[in-house]
Amino acid sequence: MHKKQEQGFKSVMSADISNELRRICACGHMSSVLFLNEICTLYESLKNCLEDRDLDSIVMSRTMNLGKDGVKSVLQQLFYTQQDLLNAYNELVEGEVLGGEALLFCQDHFAQLLRLDAFLKKEVRSYELGTKTAYQVVA
Protein backbone atom coordinates (compact mmCIF):
# COMPACT_ATOMS: atom_id res chain seq x y z
CA MET A 1 0.00 0.00 0.00
CA HIS A 2 2.89 2.36 0.69
CA LYS A 3 4.25 1.73 -2.81
CA LYS A 4 0.83 2.48 -4.26
CA GLN A 5 0.68 5.73 -2.27
CA GLU A 6 4.19 6.69 -3.38
CA GLN A 7 3.25 6.35 -7.05
CA GLY A 8 -0.03 8.20 -6.52
CA PHE A 9 1.64 11.17 -4.86
CA LYS A 10 4.24 11.32 -7.66
CA SER A 11 1.47 11.31 -10.24
CA VAL A 12 -0.41 14.19 -8.59
CA MET A 13 2.79 16.23 -8.22
CA SER A 14 3.34 15.98 -11.98
CA ALA A 15 0.11 17.91 -12.60
CA ASP A 16 -0.57 21.64 -12.44
CA ILE A 17 -1.59 21.89 -8.77
CA SER A 18 -1.49 24.44 -5.97
CA ASN A 19 1.61 24.91 -3.84
CA GLU A 20 -0.30 23.67 -0.80
CA LEU A 21 -1.33 20.44 -2.51
CA ARG A 22 2.19 19.99 -3.89
CA ARG A 23 3.57 20.33 -0.33
CA ILE A 24 1.05 17.78 1.00
CA CYS A 25 1.89 15.33 -1.80
CA ALA A 26 5.63 15.81 -1.29
CA CYS A 27 5.24 15.01 2.41
CA GLY A 28 3.06 12.02 1.57
CA HIS A 29 5.55 10.78 -1.00
CA MET A 30 8.49 11.03 1.40
CA SER A 31 6.51 9.38 4.18
CA SER A 32 5.57 6.49 1.91
CA VAL A 33 9.18 5.94 0.85
CA LEU A 34 10.53 6.15 4.40
CA PHE A 35 7.78 3.99 5.90
CA LEU A 36 8.25 1.34 3.21
CA ASN A 37 12.00 1.25 3.92
CA GLU A 38 11.39 0.96 7.66
CA ILE A 39 8.87 -1.82 7.14
CA CYS A 40 11.28 -3.68 4.83
CA THR A 41 13.97 -3.37 7.51
CA LEU A 42 11.55 -4.61 10.14
CA TYR A 43 10.54 -7.59 8.00
CA GLU A 44 14.17 -8.39 7.30
CA SER A 45 15.00 -8.30 10.99
CA LEU A 46 12.14 -10.71 11.66
CA LYS A 47 13.22 -12.93 8.74
CA ASN A 48 9.88 -12.60 7.01
CA CYS A 49 9.35 -12.11 3.30
CA LEU A 50 7.76 -8.90 2.13
CA GLU A 51 4.96 -9.96 -0.18
CA ASP A 52 2.40 -7.42 -1.28
CA ARG A 53 -0.09 -8.84 -3.75
CA ASP A 54 -1.35 -5.31 -4.41
CA LEU A 55 1.96 -4.20 -5.97
CA ASP A 56 1.05 -5.88 -9.26
CA SER A 57 -2.13 -3.82 -9.50
CA ILE A 58 -0.34 -0.46 -9.36
CA VAL A 59 -1.03 1.40 -12.57
CA MET A 60 -0.65 5.15 -12.31
CA SER A 61 -0.66 7.73 -15.03
CA ARG A 62 2.74 9.23 -15.78
CA THR A 63 1.28 11.96 -17.96
CA MET A 64 2.06 15.57 -17.15
CA ASN A 65 -1.46 16.63 -18.17
CA LEU A 66 -3.70 15.04 -15.58
CA GLY A 67 -6.10 17.96 -15.62
CA LYS A 68 -8.58 18.75 -12.87
CA ASP A 69 -10.54 15.49 -13.22
CA GLY A 70 -7.35 13.42 -13.31
CA VAL A 71 -6.02 15.05 -10.16
CA LYS A 72 -9.38 14.54 -8.47
CA SER A 73 -9.40 10.86 -9.44
CA VAL A 74 -5.85 10.22 -8.22
CA LEU A 75 -6.53 12.15 -4.99
CA GLN A 76 -9.57 9.97 -4.36
CA GLN A 77 -7.48 6.84 -4.93
CA LEU A 78 -4.86 8.18 -2.53
CA PHE A 79 -7.54 8.91 0.04
CA TYR A 80 -9.02 5.40 -0.13
CA THR A 81 -5.60 3.76 0.07
CA GLN A 82 -4.82 6.05 2.99
CA GLN A 83 -7.91 4.73 4.77
CA ASP A 84 -6.77 1.14 4.16
CA LEU A 85 -3.32 2.00 5.54
CA LEU A 86 -4.83 3.61 8.63
CA ASN A 87 -7.01 0.55 9.25
CA ALA A 88 -4.04 -1.80 8.88
CA TYR A 89 -1.85 0.28 11.19
CA ASN A 90 -4.68 0.64 13.70
CA GLU A 91 -4.97 -3.15 13.93
CA LEU A 92 -1.22 -3.40 14.57
CA VAL A 93 -1.09 -0.55 17.09
CA GLU A 94 -4.26 -1.45 19.01
CA GLY A 95 -3.78 -5.20 18.88
CA GLU A 96 -1.16 -7.05 20.85
CA VAL A 97 0.55 -8.28 17.70
CA LEU A 98 3.78 -6.30 17.92
CA GLY A 99 6.14 -5.27 20.64
CA GLY A 100 9.36 -3.35 21.13
CA GLU A 101 10.86 -1.56 18.16
CA ALA A 102 8.21 -2.83 15.74
CA LEU A 103 5.43 -1.30 17.83
CA LEU A 104 7.30 2.02 18.03
CA PHE A 105 7.72 2.07 14.22
CA CYS A 106 4.02 1.43 13.71
CA GLN A 107 2.91 3.99 16.30
CA ASP A 108 5.08 6.64 14.64
CA HIS A 109 3.83 5.72 11.17
CA PHE A 110 0.22 5.77 12.40
CA ALA A 111 0.60 9.27 13.88
CA GLN A 112 2.18 10.59 10.66
CA LEU A 113 -0.49 8.93 8.51
CA LEU A 114 -3.25 10.51 10.61
CA ARG A 115 -1.80 13.98 10.01
CA LEU A 116 -1.48 13.32 6.28
CA ASP A 117 -5.03 11.95 6.23
CA ALA A 118 -6.41 15.24 7.57
CA PHE A 119 -4.72 17.18 4.77
CA LEU A 120 -5.87 14.71 2.12
CA LYS A 121 -9.47 14.87 3.36
CA LYS A 122 -9.41 18.66 3.04
CA GLU A 123 -8.04 18.53 -0.52
CA VAL A 124 -10.37 15.75 -1.69
CA ARG A 125 -13.32 17.62 -0.23
CA SER A 126 -12.36 20.85 -2.01
CA TYR A 127 -12.13 18.99 -5.34
CA GLU A 128 -15.50 17.33 -4.73
CA LEU A 129 -17.08 20.71 -4.02
CA GLY A 130 -15.46 22.14 -7.12
CA THR A 131 -13.65 24.89 -5.24
CA LYS A 132 -10.29 23.97 -6.81
CA THR A 133 -9.77 25.65 -10.14
CA ALA A 134 -6.76 26.60 -12.21
CA TYR A 135 -3.63 27.47 -10.31
CA GLN A 136 -0.95 29.98 -11.05
CA VAL A 137 2.34 28.20 -11.38
CA VAL A 138 5.28 30.00 -9.85
CA ALA A 139 8.61 28.63 -11.02
Side-chain angles (χ1 to χ4, degrees):
M1 285 189 277
H2 283 298
K3 188 65 174 172
K4 193 175 196 178
Q5 288 294 82
E6 175 191 350
Q7 293 299 319
F9 285 121
K10 281 173 101 174
S11 182
V12 171
M13 287 189 299
S14 71
D16 183 22
I17 57 175
S18 69
N19 290 336
E20 181 181 350
L21 181 54
R22 187 170 306 283
R23 183 185 55 79
I24 292 167
C25 289
C27 290
H29 176 262
M30 289 305 298
S31 293
S32 296
V33 171
L34 292 172
F35 293 172
L36 183 60
N37 287 339
E38 287 180 350
I39 289 172
C40 288
T41 302
L42 179 64
Y43 273 125
E44 184 63 31
S45 71
L46 298 173
K47 303 294 183 205
N48 287 330
C49 294
L50 177 61
E51 293 181 26
D52 190 346
R53 62 186 173 272
D54 293 330
L55 290 179
D56 293 333
S57 66
I58 298 172
V59 180
M60 297 306 260
S61 173
R62 292 276 182 192
T63 179
M64 295 298 277
N65 299 321
L66 282 178
K68 184 179 176 184
D69 290 334
V71 171
K72 179 181 173 183
S73 174
V74 175
L75 276 176
Q76 287 172 332
Q77 289 175 349
L78 286 168
F79 177 75
Y80 293 129
T81 304
Q82 186 78 9
Q83 298 309 304
D84 291 342
L85 276 168
L86 285 171
N87 290 335
Y89 273 98
N90 190 44
E91 288 178 18
L92 291 173
V93 170
E94 296 295 322
E96 296 183 11
V97 179
L98 302 173
E101 190 177 342
L103 181 59
L104 293 176
F105 274 140
C106 287
Q107 288 172 334
D108 183 48
H109 291 190
F110 188 66
Q112 294 292 333
L113 289 170
L114 281 173
R115 283 192 282 278
L116 181 60
D117 183 60
F119 290 120
L120 276 176
K121 280 180 186 174
K122 178 184 168 193
E123 289 297 318
V124 167
R125 184 73 175 141
S126 66
Y127 272 91
E128 288 173 348
L129 294 174
T131 57
K132 292 290 181 183
T133 56
Y135 298 107
Q136 292 183 0
V137 178
V138 179

